[in-house]
Amino acid sequence: MLAYLVRRVLYAIPILIGVNLLTFVLFFVVNSPDDMARMQIGVKRATPEAIERWKVERGYDKPMFINDAAEGSARFTDTVFFDKSLRMFALEFGRADDGRDIGQEIRDRMGPSLAIALPTFVLSLFASISFALLLVFFRATALDFWGVVLCVAMMSISSLFYIIGGQWLVSKLWALVPISGYAPGLDAARFLVLPVLISVLAGIGSSARWYRTIFLEEISKDYVRTARAKGLSELAVLFRHVLRNALIPILTGVVVVIPLLFMGSLLVESFFAIPGLGSYTIDAINAQDFAVVRAMVFIGSVLYIIGLILTDISYTLADPRVRLE
Amino acid sequence: MSAPMSFQPVLLWTDALLFVLIVLGLLAGLHVRNQPPLREAWRKVGKRPTGMAAATLLLAFLLVGVLDSLHYRPLLPAVAAAAVGGGAGPEAAGRAADEGGAPGSEATPPASASAAGAAAGSAGTAPTEGSSAAVYSTEVLSALDALLASLRAQTEKTYSAPFAWTLYQREAMELPDGRQVRDYPRLAHGAAHLEAPGEARAADVAARLLQAAGQALLWWWGAFVLLTTLVWRGSGLGWGEVAGAMLSGRTVLAWRAALITLGVLMLIVAACLQLAPYYHVLGTDKVGQDVLYLALKSVRTALVIGTLTTLVMMPFAVALGIAAGYLGGWVDDAVQYMYTVLNAIPGVLLIAAAVLMMQVVIDTNPQWFDTAAERSDARLLALCFILGITSWTGLARLLRGETLKLRELEYVQAARAFGVKTPAILRRHILPNLMHIVMIALVMDFSGLVLAEAVLSYVGIGVDPTTISFGTMINMARAELAREPMVWWSLAAAFVFMFVLVLAANLFADVVRDAFDPRR
């Protein structure tokens, strides 16, 4: 198992290099730093001096890959590619356009992001699986039919409408919780209730339907018939047999997103003004702060790879037949 | 130049690709006719009432989208063309300020009303010399715009509620005797034909609705007779018998569901046709544009994103998926590496990064585009490509897996043993057996892409802000709920249109998947 994990971690390195190269090409080769400077400063005010100053401030004035002016290893380290791309492997992300350290900002904002993403994740997993089991328990009845109709209808509504509608109904009309904002500590709860509930509601349609399909596929197998023939109650069949055997496909889709919870949710955080990583990303996108977007891309891919490895480990926990070798 | 055409056709890139897609669809339809198994699968789709109802709705949306894809530039009157060099029309300038950005073709008033203003609204590419050559407006219109000309032209000053006869805001007005009052001014177009709208409006609307119902019934009867005759031909039954079967839902294909959907649609269309010239059925937005018009224009953007994205990514996904699955070895490794890398980047961030970069390219090369419409079209197409690049991995993985299974089947091994060349095996034995997966992916992805467009446009990395889409509509409307009294209608319109479109697509996709997936 350990050897397998080491191999997986090693395998992650070329993927991260690929991500790194891809983002570098996207950010520096498709458009030269001059183009970006011109857009940031504004086409009308972009004098050559202003562009040069912009580049020096951000360290984009160095050569791309090889610095002929430098000596020794600095030939390769004193370049845009090394500074902006390779340093990310050491988790050094540099500074954002407003001069703040991106790494520090990320550490500060992870907390609020998690505070909203973790409860959302747990609650929606619980809610969708319960709802799916309910539908499966009453399969081929009117309840099942209308449940699926409800799921399809709910997944046809854009998440924007859930958020806008929820804010309007709960915060404005009923005035139960503040519309948006955040407070540290326990005080955060009253700001978090609504976004968490809305996110759970927005996701329940598609995931409950997906789990229902998985359960139905499982329930038509022979071992389920055997379990019923033994005289087990339908509930026992569902919870002790079907649910456990359906875990593998469920884990495949679920575990991989756990590390990504750190990244927060773009939409929810920006609508509810939660100072997490999601709203940080959105602000960076709107301000066209390329350094932040690049850092978030890198962190996102690292977390994704961690998620893949966790998925493999979770298989061994869920199914003793799976061994990692 | 002899008698210039009254318009100049414009083929935008997305138009061309949309038409390519439609031609491909027709060719596929012909192919299906000759293939009994495929015909049987589609017949299964047609047997399901939800399938037929959803297909009817989607066809209606497609009609709107196609009409909105026939673009042209209207001819400018000679005098107006000469005047273009002068100052921008005051109307256009005012609206530009309202929009808070460069006004696109859509934001400018119609050419017929003030051609000079329209031309000046888009970055001055119109010639300044008043020559005798035909000069076409830089504003690109579509056939849908021409059909909805009155809807487009009837703009108000700012918000007004559905069926309102006054503006949403009070304004200082001068009475005939010179006194100043603050009151709600009457709308320029909404309910303008009524003397005393307070009392007369309900009766007027009811009368028009009644008229619309009659009209819709007439249309529906026509459609019913036409459809019944088509089904009746060659059935060997009496016409009345067939008509009875259609109405009671005893036909093989679920015609009754289609007819009911069609009836409801016709009722809504007829009501809109009757009411829209006299009222703003769905109200007006911040700059006074009719919300119904905006919602109809959004349909094309949604269709383009939903279909073209899959169209542009399909060749990559199919080629790479099959190559990886069939050839194996280093090809497989390379393809798997590629899609793992792409998957590793969170989708929204990859899209954001690519869109930001593409925006820089478009902004630094303004000389590539003649009109504002072409520029926003380039961004729309680029968005399709970007979404395609981020979404081909799922399909490629499915195809790779299926190809791995297929290549071990006896008939493929037999073909290999007989010395059939690899390209021929791929084309004749592998590809046709993968088409159902591609087909299912095409319909399943559609609704997700339509929803994604709205979110991306909200985040600011979607379509150009001047392109009318559900995303830009929601984006503009989101602050309106906080107003007092609330402005709910643009949001409601976007919600209803999007919900119906996505719901129809989801239902249709389910039926298609059930019919084509061999595991079911």
Side-chain angles (χ1 to χ4, degrees), chain B residues 201-267:
Chain B
R201 185 179 59 164
D204 186 57
V205 170
R208 286 180 200 283
L209 277 180
L210 209 63
Q211 213 174 339
Q215 213 171 12
L217 200 67
L218 211 65
W219 293 345
W220 186 82
W221 178 247
F224 173 68
V225 170
L226 190 75
L227 252 176
T228 309
T229 313
L230 282 178
V231 176
W232 164 73
R233 270 187 349 150
S235 69
L237 297 166
W239 196 91
E241 253 178 301
V242 174
M246 297 271 274
L247 286 180
S248 57
R250 282 182 284 115
T251 44
V252 177
L253 300 181
W255 286 118
R256 188 172 61 159
L259 278 171
I260 293 173
T261 318
L262 199 65
V264 174
L265 261 178
M266 282 173 166
L267 203 61

Coordinates of all heavy atoms in Angstrom, one line a residue, chain B residues 201-267:
Chain B
R201 N -58.0 48.8 -19.3 CA -57.0 47.9 -19.6 C -57.5 46.4 -19.5 O -57.2 45.6 -20.4 CB -55.8 48.1 -18.7 CG -54.6 47.2 -19.1 CD -53.4 47.5 -18.2 NE -53.8 47.2 -16.8 CZ -52.9 47.1 -15.9 NH1 -51.6 47.2 -16.2 NH2 -53.2 46.9 -14.6
A202 N -58.1 46.1 -18.4 CA -58.5 44.7 -18.2 C -59.4 44.2 -19.3 O -59.2 43.1 -19.8 CB -59.3 44.6 -16.8
A203 N -60.4 45.0 -19.7 CA -61.3 44.6 -20.8 C -60.5 44.5 -22.1 O -60.7 43.5 -22.9 CB -62.4 45.7 -20.9
D204 N -59.6 45.4 -22.3 CA -58.8 45.4 -23.6 C -58.0 44.1 -23.6 O -58.0 43.4 -24.7 CB -57.9 46.6 -23.6 CG -57.2 46.7 -25.0 OD1 -57.9 46.7 -26.0 OD2 -56.0 46.8 -24.9
V205 N -57.3 43.8 -22.5 CA -56.5 42.6 -22.5 C -57.3 41.4 -22.7 O -57.0 40.5 -23.5 CB -55.7 42.5 -21.2 CG1 -55.0 41.2 -21.1 CG2 -54.7 43.6 -21.1
A206 N -58.5 41.3 -22.0 CA -59.3 40.2 -22.1 C -59.8 40.0 -23.6 O -59.8 38.9 -24.1 CB -60.5 40.3 -21.2
A207 N -60.2 41.1 -24.2 CA -60.7 41.0 -25.6 C -59.6 40.5 -26.5 O -59.8 39.6 -27.3 CB -61.2 42.4 -26.0
R208 N -58.4 41.0 -26.3 CA -57.3 40.5 -27.2 C -56.9 39.1 -26.9 O -56.6 38.3 -27.8 CB -56.1 41.4 -26.9 CG -56.3 42.8 -27.6 CD -55.1 43.7 -27.4 NE -55.5 45.0 -27.5 CZ -55.7 45.6 -28.7 NH1 -55.5 44.9 -29.8 NH2 -56.1 46.9 -28.8
L209 N -57.0 38.7 -25.6 CA -56.7 37.3 -25.3 C -57.7 36.4 -25.9 O -57.4 35.3 -26.5 CB -56.7 37.1 -23.8 CG -55.4 37.4 -23.1 CD1 -55.5 37.2 -21.6 CD2 -54.3 36.6 -23.6
L210 N -59.0 36.8 -25.9 CA -60.0 36.0 -26.5 C -59.8 35.8 -28.0 O -59.8 34.7 -28.6 CB -61.4 36.7 -26.3 CG -62.6 35.7 -26.2 CD1 -62.5 34.8 -25.0 CD2 -63.9 36.6 -26.2
Q211 N -59.4 36.9 -28.6 CA -59.1 36.9 -30.0 C -57.9 35.9 -30.3 O -57.9 35.2 -31.2 CB -58.6 38.3 -30.4 CG -59.0 38.7 -31.9 CD -58.7 40.2 -32.1 OE1 -58.6 40.9 -31.2 NE2 -58.6 40.5 -33.3
A212 N -56.9 36.0 -29.4 CA -55.7 35.2 -29.5 C -56.1 33.7 -29.4 O -55.6 32.9 -30.1 CB -54.7 35.6 -28.5
A213 N -57.0 33.4 -28.5 CA -57.4 32.0 -28.3 C -58.1 31.5 -29.6 O -57.8 30.4 -30.0 CB -58.4 32.0 -27.1
G214 N -58.9 32.4 -30.2 CA -59.5 31.9 -31.4 C -58.5 31.7 -32.5 O -58.5 30.6 -33.2
Q215 N -57.5 32.6 -32.6 CA -56.5 32.4 -33.6 C -55.7 31.1 -33.4 O -55.4 30.4 -34.3 CB -55.5 33.6 -33.4 CG -54.9 34.1 -34.7 CD -54.2 35.4 -34.4 OE1 -54.0 35.8 -33.3 NE2 -53.8 36.1 -35.5
A216 N -55.3 30.9 -32.1 CA -54.5 29.7 -31.8 C -55.3 28.5 -32.1 O -54.7 27.5 -32.6 CB -54.2 29.8 -30.3
L217 N -56.6 28.5 -31.8 CA -57.4 27.3 -32.1 C -57.4 27.1 -33.6 O -57.3 25.9 -34.0 CB -58.9 27.6 -31.6 CG -59.7 26.3 -31.4 CD1 -59.1 25.5 -30.3 CD2 -61.1 26.7 -31.2
L218 N -57.5 28.1 -34.4 CA -57.5 28.0 -35.8 C -56.1 27.4 -36.3 O -56.1 26.4 -37.1 CB -57.7 29.4 -36.5 CG -58.4 29.4 -37.8 CD1 -59.8 28.9 -37.7 CD2 -58.3 30.8 -38.4
W219 N -55.0 27.9 -35.8 CA -53.7 27.4 -36.2 C -53.6 25.9 -35.8 O -53.1 25.1 -36.5 CB -52.6 28.1 -35.4 CG -52.4 29.5 -35.8 CD1 -52.9 30.1 -36.9 CD2 -51.7 30.5 -35.1 NE1 -52.5 31.4 -36.9 CE2 -51.7 31.7 -35.8 CE3 -50.9 30.5 -33.9 CZ2 -51.1 32.9 -35.4 CZ3 -50.3 31.6 -33.5 CH2 -50.4 32.8 -34.3
W220 N -54.1 25.7 -34.5 CA -53.9 24.3 -34.0 C -54.7 23.3 -34.9 O -54.2 22.2 -35.2 CB -54.4 24.3 -32.6 CG -54.1 22.9 -31.9 CD1 -53.0 22.5 -31.4 CD2 -55.1 21.9 -31.8 NE1 -53.1 21.2 -30.9 CE2 -54.4 20.8 -31.2 CE3 -56.4 21.7 -32.2 CZ2 -55.0 19.6 -30.9 CZ3 -57.0 20.5 -31.9 CH2 -56.3 19.4 -31.3
W221 N -55.9 23.8 -35.3 CA -56.7 22.9 -36.1 C -56.0 22.6 -37.4 O -55.9 21.5 -37.9 CB -58.1 23.6 -36.4 CG -59.0 22.8 -37.3 CD1 -59.4 23.2 -38.5 CD2 -59.5 21.5 -37.0 NE1 -60.2 22.2 -39.1 CE2 -60.3 21.2 -38.1 CE3 -59.5 20.7 -35.9 CZ2 -61.0 20.0 -38.2 CZ3 -60.2 19.5 -36.0 CH2 -60.9 19.1 -37.2
G222 N -55.4 23.7 -38.0 CA -54.6 23.5 -39.2 C -53.5 22.5 -39.0 O -53.3 21.5 -39.8
A223 N -52.8 22.6 -37.9 CA -51.6 21.7 -37.6 C -52.2 20.3 -37.4 O -51.6 19.3 -37.9 CB -50.9 22.2 -36.4
F224 N -53.3 20.2 -36.7 CA -53.9 18.9 -36.5 C -54.3 18.2 -37.8 O -53.9 17.0 -38.0 CB -55.1 19.0 -35.6 CG -55.9 17.8 -35.4 CD1 -55.3 16.7 -34.6 CD2 -57.1 17.7 -35.9 CE1 -56.0 15.6 -34.5 CE2 -57.9 16.5 -35.7 CZ -57.3 15.5 -35.0
V225 N -54.9 18.9 -38.6 CA -55.4 18.4 -39.9 C -54.2 17.9 -40.7 O -54.1 16.8 -41.3 CB -56.2 19.4 -40.7 CG1 -56.5 18.9 -42.1 CG2 -57.5 19.6 -40.0
L226 N -53.1 18.8 -40.8 CA -51.9 18.5 -41.5 C -51.3 17.2 -41.0 O -50.9 16.3 -41.8 CB -51.0 19.6 -41.4 CG -49.8 19.6 -42.3 CD1 -50.2 19.9 -43.8 CD2 -48.7 20.6 -41.9
L227 N -51.1 17.1 -39.7 CA -50.4 16.0 -39.1 C -51.2 14.7 -39.3 O -50.7 13.7 -39.6 CB -50.3 16.2 -37.6 CG -48.9 16.5 -37.1 CD1 -48.9 16.8 -35.6 CD2 -48.0 15.3 -37.3
T228 N -52.5 14.8 -39.1 CA -53.4 13.6 -39.2 C -53.3 13.1 -40.6 O -53.2 11.9 -40.9 CB -54.8 14.0 -38.8 OG1 -54.8 14.6 -37.6 CG2 -55.7 12.7 -38.8
T229 N -53.3 14.1 -41.6 CA -53.2 13.6 -43.0 C -51.9 12.9 -43.3 O -51.9 11.9 -44.0 CB -53.4 14.9 -43.9 OG1 -54.5 15.6 -43.5 CG2 -53.6 14.5 -45.3
L230 N -50.8 13.5 -42.7 CA -49.5 12.9 -42.9 C -49.5 11.5 -42.3 O -49.0 10.5 -42.9 CB -48.4 13.7 -42.2 CG -48.0 15.0 -43.0 CD1 -47.0 15.8 -42.2 CD2 -47.5 14.6 -44.4
V231 N -50.1 11.3 -41.1 CA -50.1 10.0 -40.5 C -51.0 9.0 -41.3 O -50.7 7.8 -41.4 CB -50.5 10.1 -39.0 CG1 -50.6 8.7 -38.4 CG2 -49.5 10.9 -38.2
W232 N -52.1 9.6 -41.7 CA -53.1 8.8 -42.4 C -52.7 8.2 -43.7 O -53.0 7.1 -44.1 CB -54.4 9.7 -42.6 CG -55.4 9.2 -43.6 CD1 -56.3 8.2 -43.4 CD2 -55.6 9.8 -44.9 NE1 -57.0 8.0 -44.5 CE2 -56.7 9.0 -45.4 CE3 -55.1 10.8 -45.6 CZ2 -57.2 9.2 -46.7 CZ3 -55.6 11.0 -46.9 CH2 -56.6 10.2 -47.4
R233 N -51.8 9.0 -44.4 CA -51.3 8.6 -45.8 C -50.6 7.3 -45.6 O -49.7 7.1 -44.8 CB -50.4 9.6 -46.4 CG -51.1 10.6 -47.2 CD -50.2 11.6 -47.9 NE -48.8 11.4 -47.5 CZ -47.8 11.6 -48.2 NH1 -47.9 12.0 -49.5 NH2 -46.5 11.5 -47.7
G234 N -51.1 6.3 -46.4 CA -50.4 5.0 -46.4 C -50.7 4.2 -45.1 O -50.0 3.1 -45.0
S235 N -51.6 4.6 -44.3 CA -51.9 3.8 -43.1 C -53.0 2.8 -43.4 O -53.1 1.8 -42.7 CB -52.3 4.7 -41.9 OG -53.6 5.2 -42.2
G236 N -53.7 3.0 -44.5 CA -54.8 2.1 -44.9 C -56.0 2.2 -44.1 O -57.0 1.4 -44.2
L237 N -56.1 3.2 -43.2 CA -57.3 3.4 -42.3 C -58.0 4.6 -42.8 O -57.6 5.4 -43.7 CB -56.9 3.7 -40.9 CG -56.1 2.5 -40.2 CD1 -55.5 3.0 -38.9 CD2 -57.1 1.4 -39.9
G238 N -59.2 4.8 -42.3 CA -60.0 6.0 -42.6 C -59.5 7.2 -41.9 O -58.8 7.1 -40.9
W239 N -59.7 8.4 -42.5 CA -59.1 9.6 -41.9 C -59.7 9.9 -40.5 O -59.0 10.2 -39.6 CB -59.4 10.8 -42.9 CG -58.6 12.0 -42.6 CD1 -57.4 12.3 -43.2 CD2 -58.9 13.1 -41.7 NE1 -56.9 13.5 -42.6 CE2 -57.8 14.0 -41.7 CE3 -59.9 13.3 -40.8 CZ2 -57.8 15.1 -41.0 CZ3 -59.9 14.5 -40.0 CH2 -58.8 15.4 -40.1
G240 N -61.0 9.7 -40.4 CA -61.6 9.9 -39.1 C -61.1 9.0 -38.1 O -60.8 9.4 -36.9
E241 N -60.8 7.7 -38.5 CA -60.3 6.8 -37.5 C -58.9 7.2 -37.0 O -58.6 7.2 -35.8 CB -60.1 5.4 -38.3 CG -61.0 4.3 -37.9 CD -60.7 3.1 -38.7 OE1 -60.8 3.2 -40.0 OE2 -60.4 2.1 -38.1
V242 N -58.1 7.7 -38.0 CA -56.7 8.2 -37.6 C -56.9 9.4 -36.7 O -56.2 9.5 -35.6 CB -55.9 8.5 -38.9 CG1 -54.6 9.1 -38.5 CG2 -55.7 7.3 -39.7
A243 N -57.8 10.3 -37.0 CA -57.9 11.5 -36.2 C -58.4 11.1 -34.8 O -57.8 11.7 -33.8 CB -59.0 12.4 -36.8
G244 N -59.3 10.1 -34.7 CA -59.7 9.7 -33.4 C -58.6 9.1 -32.6 O -58.4 9.4 -31.4
A245 N -57.7 8.3 -33.3 CA -56.6 7.7 -32.6 C -55.6 8.7 -32.1 O -55.0 8.6 -31.0 CB -55.9 6.7 -33.6
M246 N -55.4 9.8 -32.9 CA -54.5 10.8 -32.6 C -54.9 11.5 -31.3 O -54.2 11.8 -30.4 CB -54.4 11.9 -33.7 CG -53.9 11.4 -35.0 SD -52.1 11.6 -35.1 CE -51.9 13.2 -35.6
L247 N -56.3 11.8 -31.2 CA -56.8 12.5 -30.1 C -56.8 11.7 -28.8 O -56.7 12.2 -27.7 CB -58.2 13.1 -30.4 CG -58.2 14.2 -31.4 CD1 -59.6 14.7 -31.7 CD2 -57.4 15.4 -30.9
S248 N -57.0 10.4 -29.0 CA -57.1 9.6 -27.8 C -55.8 9.0 -27.4 O -55.7 8.2 -26.5 CB -58.2 8.5 -28.0 OG -57.8 7.7 -29.1
G249 N -54.7 9.3 -28.2 CA -53.4 8.9 -27.8 C -53.2 7.4 -28.1 O -52.4 6.7 -27.4
R250 N -53.8 6.9 -29.2 CA -53.6 5.4 -29.5 C -52.6 5.2 -30.6 O -52.5 4.1 -31.1 CB -55.0 4.8 -29.8 CG -55.8 4.5 -28.5 CD -57.1 3.8 -28.8 NE -58.1 4.8 -29.4 CZ -58.6 4.7 -30.6 NH1 -58.2 3.8 -31.4 NH2 -59.5 5.6 -31.0
T251 N -52.0 6.3 -31.1 CA -51.0 6.1 -32.2 C -49.7 5.5 -31.7 O -49.5 5.6 -30.5 CB -50.7 7.5 -32.9 OG1 -50.5 8.4 -31.8 CG2 -51.9 8.0 -33.8
V252 N -48.9 5.0 -32.6 CA -47.7 4.4 -32.2 C -46.8 5.5 -31.6 O -46.3 5.3 -30.5 CB -47.0 3.7 -33.4 CG1 -45.6 3.2 -33.0 CG2 -47.9 2.6 -34.0
L253 N -46.6 6.5 -32.4 CA -45.8 7.6 -31.8 C -46.8 8.5 -31.0 O -48.0 8.6 -31.3 CB -45.2 8.5 -33.0 CG -44.2 7.7 -33.9 CD1 -43.7 8.6 -34.9 CD2 -43.1 7.1 -33.1
A254 N -46.2 9.1 -30.0 CA -47.1 9.9 -29.1 C -47.5 11.2 -29.7 O -47.0 12.3 -29.2 CB -46.4 10.0 -27.7
W255 N -48.3 11.2 -30.7 CA -48.6 12.5 -31.4 C -49.5 13.3 -30.5 O -49.4 14.6 -30.6 CB -49.4 12.2 -32.7 CG -48.5 11.7 -33.8 CD1 -48.6 10.5 -34.4 CD2 -47.4 12.4 -34.4 NE1 -47.6 10.4 -35.3 CE2 -46.9 11.6 -35.3 CE3 -46.8 13.6 -34.2 CZ2 -45.8 11.9 -36.1 CZ3 -45.8 14.0 -34.9 CH2 -45.2 13.1 -35.9
R256 N -50.3 12.7 -29.6 CA -51.2 13.5 -28.8 C -50.4 14.5 -27.9 O -50.7 15.7 -27.8 CB -52.1 12.6 -27.9 CG -53.1 13.5 -27.2 CD -54.1 12.6 -26.5 NE -53.4 11.8 -25.5 CZ -54.1 11.2 -24.5 NH1 -55.4 11.4 -24.3 NH2 -53.5 10.5 -23.6
A257 N -49.3 14.0 -27.3 CA -48.4 14.8 -26.5 C -47.9 16.0 -27.3 O -47.9 17.1 -26.8 CB -47.3 14.0 -25.9
A258 N -47.4 15.7 -28.5 CA -46.9 16.7 -29.3 C -48.0 17.8 -29.6 O -47.7 19.0 -29.6 CB -46.3 16.2 -30.6
L259 N -49.2 17.3 -29.9 CA -50.2 18.2 -30.3 C -50.6 19.1 -29.1 O -50.9 20.3 -29.3 CB -51.5 17.4 -30.8 CG -51.4 17.0 -32.3 CD1 -52.5 16.0 -32.6 CD2 -51.4 18.2 -33.2
I260 N -50.7 18.5 -27.9 CA -51.0 19.3 -26.7 C -50.0 20.4 -26.5 O -50.3 21.6 -26.3 CB -51.2 18.4 -25.5 CG1 -52.4 17.5 -25.7 CG2 -51.3 19.2 -24.2 CD1 -52.5 16.4 -24.6
T261 N -48.7 20.0 -26.6 CA -47.6 21.0 -26.4 C -47.7 22.0 -27.4 O -47.6 23.2 -27.1 CB -46.2 20.3 -26.5 OG1 -46.3 19.0 -25.9 CG2 -45.1 21.1 -26.0
L262 N -48.0 21.6 -28.7 CA -48.1 22.6 -29.8 C -49.3 23.5 -29.5 O -49.1 24.8 -29.7 CB -48.4 21.8 -31.1 CG -48.1 22.6 -32.4 CD1 -46.6 22.9 -32.4 CD2 -48.5 21.8 -33.6
G263 N -50.4 23.0 -29.0 CA -51.5 23.8 -28.7 C -51.2 24.9 -27.7 O -51.5 26.1 -27.8
V264 N -50.5 24.5 -26.6 CA -50.2 25.4 -25.5 C -49.2 26.5 -26.1 O -49.4 27.7 -25.8 CB -49.5 24.7 -24.3 CG1 -49.0 25.7 -23.3 CG2 -50.5 23.7 -23.7
L265 N -48.2 26.0 -26.9 CA -47.3 27.0 -27.5 C -48.0 28.0 -28.3 O -47.7 29.2 -28.3 CB -46.3 26.2 -28.3 CG -44.9 25.9 -27.7 CD1 -44.1 25.0 -28.7 CD2 -44.2 27.1 -27.4
M266 N -48.9 27.5 -29.2 CA -49.6 28.4 -30.1 C -50.4 29.4 -29.3 O -50.5 30.6 -29.7 CB -50.5 27.6 -31.0 CG -49.7 26.9 -32.1 SD -50.8 25.8 -33.1 CE -49.8 25.5 -34.5
L267 N -51.0 28.9 -28.2 CA -51.8 29.8 -27.4 C -50.9 31.0 -26.9 O -51.3 32.2 -27.0 CB -52.4 29.1 -26.3 CG -53.7 29.7 -25.6 CD1 -54.8 29.7 -26.6 CD2 -54.1 28.8 -24.4

